[in-house]
Short mmCIF file of all heavy atoms in Angstrom, two decimals:
data_model
loop_
_atom_site.label_atom_id
_atom_site.label_comp_id
_atom_site.label_asym_id
_atom_site.label_seq_id
_atom_site.Cartn_x
_atom_site.Cartn_y
_atom_site.Cartn_z
N TYR A 50 -42.23 14.87 69.49
CA TYR A 50 -41.91 13.83 68.50
C TYR A 50 -41.52 12.53 69.20
O TYR A 50 -41.99 11.44 68.84
CB TYR A 50 -40.77 14.27 67.58
CG TYR A 50 -41.12 15.39 66.64
CD1 TYR A 50 -40.19 16.37 66.30
CD2 TYR A 50 -42.39 15.49 66.07
CE1 TYR A 50 -40.51 17.41 65.44
CE2 TYR A 50 -42.71 16.53 65.21
CZ TYR A 50 -41.78 17.48 64.90
OH TYR A 50 -42.10 18.51 64.06
N THR A 142 -38.97 9.38 56.41
CA THR A 142 -39.88 10.31 55.72
C THR A 142 -39.92 10.02 54.21
O THR A 142 -41.03 9.92 53.64
CB THR A 142 -39.50 11.78 56.02
OG1 THR A 142 -39.54 11.95 57.44
CG2 THR A 142 -40.46 12.76 55.38
N LEU A 165 -38.87 19.80 45.81
CA LEU A 165 -38.46 21.14 46.28
C LEU A 165 -37.71 20.96 47.59
O LEU A 165 -38.32 20.58 48.59
CB LEU A 165 -39.71 21.97 46.53
CG LEU A 165 -40.07 23.06 45.55
CD1 LEU A 165 -41.38 23.70 45.92
CD2 LEU A 165 -38.97 24.09 45.48
N GLY A 166 -36.41 21.17 47.56
CA GLY A 166 -35.59 20.97 48.77
C GLY A 166 -34.61 19.84 48.56
O GLY A 166 -34.98 18.80 48.00
N ARG A 167 -33.36 20.04 49.02
CA ARG A 167 -32.32 19.02 48.80
C ARG A 167 -31.69 18.59 50.12
O ARG A 167 -30.49 18.29 50.19
CB ARG A 167 -31.24 19.55 47.87
CG ARG A 167 -30.56 20.81 48.41
CD ARG A 167 -29.40 21.26 47.55
NE ARG A 167 -29.10 22.66 47.82
CZ ARG A 167 -28.29 23.41 47.08
NH1 ARG A 167 -27.71 22.91 46.03
NH2 ARG A 167 -28.07 24.67 47.39
N SER A 168 -32.47 18.55 51.21
CA SER A 168 -31.88 18.17 52.50
C SER A 168 -31.48 16.70 52.47
O SER A 168 -31.98 15.90 51.68
CB SER A 168 -32.87 18.42 53.63
OG SER A 168 -33.91 17.48 53.59
N GLU A 169 -30.56 16.36 53.41
CA GLU A 169 -30.11 14.95 53.50
C GLU A 169 -31.22 14.08 54.08
O GLU A 169 -31.23 12.87 53.90
CB GLU A 169 -28.88 14.84 54.43
CG GLU A 169 -27.71 15.73 54.07
CD GLU A 169 -27.10 15.42 52.72
OE1 GLU A 169 -27.27 14.28 52.24
OE2 GLU A 169 -26.47 16.33 52.15
N ILE A 170 -32.17 14.71 54.78
CA ILE A 170 -33.21 13.94 55.48
C ILE A 170 -34.40 13.65 54.58
O ILE A 170 -34.99 12.58 54.62
CB ILE A 170 -33.67 14.72 56.75
CG1 ILE A 170 -32.51 14.84 57.73
CG2 ILE A 170 -34.88 14.08 57.41
CD1 ILE A 170 -32.82 15.62 59.00
N VAL A 171 -34.75 14.61 53.71
CA VAL A 171 -35.94 14.43 52.89
C VAL A 171 -35.64 14.57 51.39
O VAL A 171 -35.71 13.60 50.63
CB VAL A 171 -37.07 15.43 53.27
CG1 VAL A 171 -38.35 15.07 52.51
CG2 VAL A 171 -37.34 15.46 54.76
N GLY A 172 -35.30 15.77 50.96
CA GLY A 172 -35.25 16.06 49.52
C GLY A 172 -34.35 15.13 48.71
O GLY A 172 -34.79 14.51 47.74
N CYS A 193 -34.83 20.64 43.38
CA CYS A 193 -34.66 22.11 43.37
C CYS A 193 -34.17 22.63 44.72
O CYS A 193 -34.36 21.97 45.74
CB CYS A 193 -35.99 22.79 43.07
SG CYS A 193 -36.73 22.26 41.54
N HIS A 194 -33.60 23.81 44.71
CA HIS A 194 -33.08 24.46 45.92
C HIS A 194 -33.09 25.96 45.69
O HIS A 194 -33.62 26.44 44.69
CB HIS A 194 -31.67 23.92 46.21
CG HIS A 194 -30.81 23.86 44.98
ND1 HIS A 194 -30.17 24.99 44.50
CD2 HIS A 194 -30.56 22.85 44.10
CE1 HIS A 194 -29.53 24.65 43.39
NE2 HIS A 194 -29.76 23.36 43.13
N ARG A 195 -32.46 26.69 46.62
CA ARG A 195 -32.48 28.15 46.51
C ARG A 195 -31.81 28.67 45.24
O ARG A 195 -32.09 29.77 44.79
CB ARG A 195 -31.80 28.76 47.73
CG ARG A 195 -32.73 28.90 48.91
CD ARG A 195 -31.96 29.52 50.05
NE ARG A 195 -31.86 28.57 51.14
CZ ARG A 195 -32.58 28.66 52.25
NH1 ARG A 195 -33.41 29.66 52.43
NH2 ARG A 195 -32.48 27.75 53.18
N GLY A 196 -30.91 27.88 44.68
CA GLY A 196 -30.20 28.34 43.49
C GLY A 196 -30.93 28.01 42.19
O GLY A 196 -30.46 28.39 41.11
N LEU A 200 -37.95 28.88 39.18
CA LEU A 200 -38.54 27.80 39.98
C LEU A 200 -40.00 27.48 39.61
O LEU A 200 -40.34 26.30 39.40
CB LEU A 200 -38.41 28.15 41.48
CG LEU A 200 -38.78 27.06 42.45
CD1 LEU A 200 -37.85 25.85 42.32
CD2 LEU A 200 -38.73 27.57 43.88
N ALA A 212 -42.98 18.92 48.08
CA ALA A 212 -42.48 20.16 48.68
C ALA A 212 -41.90 19.88 50.05
O ALA A 212 -42.60 19.43 50.96
CB ALA A 212 -43.60 21.18 48.78
N ALA A 213 -40.60 20.11 50.20
CA ALA A 213 -39.91 19.88 51.49
C ALA A 213 -38.90 20.99 51.72
O ALA A 213 -37.69 20.78 51.63
CB ALA A 213 -39.23 18.51 51.48
N ILE A 214 -39.41 22.19 51.99
CA ILE A 214 -38.49 23.33 52.16
C ILE A 214 -38.65 24.04 53.50
O ILE A 214 -37.78 24.80 53.90
CB ILE A 214 -38.63 24.36 51.01
CG1 ILE A 214 -40.07 24.88 50.89
CG2 ILE A 214 -38.15 23.81 49.71
CD1 ILE A 214 -40.20 26.00 49.88
N GLY A 215 -39.74 23.81 54.19
CA GLY A 215 -39.91 24.47 55.49
C GLY A 215 -40.30 25.93 55.37
O GLY A 215 -39.86 26.75 56.18
N ARG A 216 -41.10 26.28 54.36
CA ARG A 216 -41.60 27.66 54.19
C ARG A 216 -43.12 27.60 54.10
O ARG A 216 -43.65 27.00 53.15
CB ARG A 216 -41.10 28.28 52.89
CG ARG A 216 -39.67 28.13 52.66
CD ARG A 216 -39.02 29.47 52.55
NE ARG A 216 -37.69 29.35 53.13
CZ ARG A 216 -36.92 30.37 53.42
NH1 ARG A 216 -37.35 31.59 53.22
NH2 ARG A 216 -35.73 30.17 53.92
N PHE A 219 -45.55 28.10 50.68
CA PHE A 219 -44.66 28.64 49.64
C PHE A 219 -45.17 28.29 48.23
O PHE A 219 -45.11 29.08 47.31
CB PHE A 219 -43.26 28.06 49.85
CG PHE A 219 -42.24 28.49 48.85
CD1 PHE A 219 -41.48 29.64 49.05
CD2 PHE A 219 -42.00 27.73 47.70
CE1 PHE A 219 -40.52 30.04 48.13
CE2 PHE A 219 -41.05 28.13 46.77
CZ PHE A 219 -40.31 29.28 46.99
N VAL A 234 -44.54 17.98 52.50
CA VAL A 234 -43.77 17.45 53.63
C VAL A 234 -43.65 18.48 54.75
O VAL A 234 -43.42 18.13 55.91
CB VAL A 234 -42.35 17.01 53.15
CG1 VAL A 234 -41.61 16.27 54.26
CG2 VAL A 234 -42.44 16.13 51.92
N GLY A 235 -43.83 19.73 54.43
CA GLY A 235 -43.56 20.82 55.36
C GLY A 235 -44.38 20.75 56.65
O GLY A 235 -45.55 20.36 56.64
N ILE A 236 -43.73 21.10 57.73
CA ILE A 236 -44.43 21.27 59.02
C ILE A 236 -44.00 22.63 59.54
O ILE A 236 -42.86 22.81 59.95
CB ILE A 236 -44.05 20.18 60.05
CG1 ILE A 236 -44.33 18.78 59.50
CG2 ILE A 236 -44.79 20.40 61.36
CD1 ILE A 236 -43.91 17.65 60.44
N ASN A 237 -44.89 23.60 59.43
CA ASN A 237 -44.56 24.96 59.87
C ASN A 237 -45.62 25.43 60.84
O ASN A 237 -46.81 25.17 60.64
CB ASN A 237 -44.53 25.91 58.66
CG ASN A 237 -43.69 25.38 57.51
OD1 ASN A 237 -42.48 25.35 57.60
ND2 ASN A 237 -44.34 24.94 56.43
N ASP A 246 -45.91 23.33 53.37
CA ASP A 246 -45.17 24.18 52.43
C ASP A 246 -46.04 24.55 51.22
O ASP A 246 -45.59 25.25 50.32
CB ASP A 246 -43.92 23.44 51.94
CG ASP A 246 -42.85 23.33 53.02
OD1 ASP A 246 -42.95 24.05 54.04
OD2 ASP A 246 -41.93 22.50 52.86
N VAL A 266 -47.90 13.41 55.41
CA VAL A 266 -46.61 12.72 55.49
C VAL A 266 -46.23 12.40 56.94
O VAL A 266 -45.64 11.35 57.22
CB VAL A 266 -45.51 13.58 54.80
CG1 VAL A 266 -44.13 12.94 54.98
CG2 VAL A 266 -45.83 13.77 53.32
N GLY A 267 -46.57 13.30 57.87
CA GLY A 267 -46.14 13.16 59.27
C GLY A 267 -46.41 11.78 59.86
O GLY A 267 -45.49 11.12 60.35
N THR A 270 -44.15 8.92 58.62
CA THR A 270 -42.75 8.88 59.09
C THR A 270 -42.63 7.94 60.30
O THR A 270 -41.73 7.11 60.37
CB THR A 270 -42.29 10.31 59.45
OG1 THR A 270 -42.37 11.11 58.27
CG2 THR A 270 -40.87 10.33 59.97
P1 LIG B 301 -34.01 21.83 55.47
O1 LIG B 301 -32.90 20.92 55.91
O2 LIG B 301 -34.14 23.18 56.07
O3 LIG B 301 -33.86 22.02 53.89
C1 LIG B 301 -34.68 22.89 53.19
C2 LIG B 301 -34.38 22.81 51.72
O4 LIG B 301 -35.30 23.66 51.05
C3 LIG B 301 -32.98 23.26 51.33
O5 LIG B 301 -32.46 22.40 50.36
C4 LIG B 301 -33.20 24.67 50.79
O6 LIG B 301 -32.34 25.03 49.74
C5 LIG B 301 -34.60 24.55 50.20
N1 LIG B 301 -35.26 25.86 50.18
C6 LIG B 301 -35.55 26.66 51.24
N2 LIG B 301 -36.13 27.79 50.81
C7 LIG B 301 -36.21 27.70 49.47
C8 LIG B 301 -36.70 28.56 48.44
N3 LIG B 301 -37.23 29.75 48.74
N4 LIG B 301 -36.62 28.14 47.16
C9 LIG B 301 -36.09 26.96 46.85
N5 LIG B 301 -35.59 26.08 47.78
C10 LIG B 301 -35.65 26.47 49.06
O7 LIG B 301 -35.41 21.15 55.61
P2 LIG B 301 -35.90 19.63 55.80
O8 LIG B 301 -35.30 19.05 57.02
O9 LIG B 301 -35.80 18.87 54.52
O10 LIG B 301 -37.44 19.90 56.10
C11 LIG B 301 -38.29 20.53 55.18
C12 LIG B 301 -39.67 20.65 55.79
O11 LIG B 301 -40.18 19.35 56.00
C13 LIG B 301 -39.71 21.33 57.16
O12 LIG B 301 -40.93 22.04 57.28
C14 LIG B 301 -39.71 20.16 58.13
O13 LIG B 301 -40.32 20.48 59.37
C15 LIG B 301 -40.52 19.17 57.36
N6 LIG B 301 -40.26 17.77 57.71
C16 LIG B 301 -41.34 17.00 57.91
C17 LIG B 301 -41.17 15.67 58.21
C18 LIG B 301 -42.39 14.81 58.39
O14 LIG B 301 -42.30 13.75 58.97
N7 LIG B 301 -43.55 15.23 57.89
C19 LIG B 301 -39.90 15.11 58.32
C20 LIG B 301 -38.79 15.93 58.09
C21 LIG B 301 -39.01 17.27 57.76
P3 LIG B 301 -30.75 25.23 49.92
O15 LIG B 301 -30.19 23.84 50.02
O16 LIG B 301 -30.34 25.95 48.70
O17 LIG B 301 -30.57 26.00 51.19
#
Side-chain angles (χ1 to χ4, degrees):
Y50 291 144
T142 303
L165 254 176
R167 59 174 160 192
S168 72
E169 305 297 337
I170 296 178
V171 187
C193 304
H194 45 80
R195 276 180 244 255
L200 189 64
I214 57 174
R216 311 241 146 192
F219 178 89
V234 188
I236 303 177
N237 310 289
D246 288 345
V266 175
T270 299

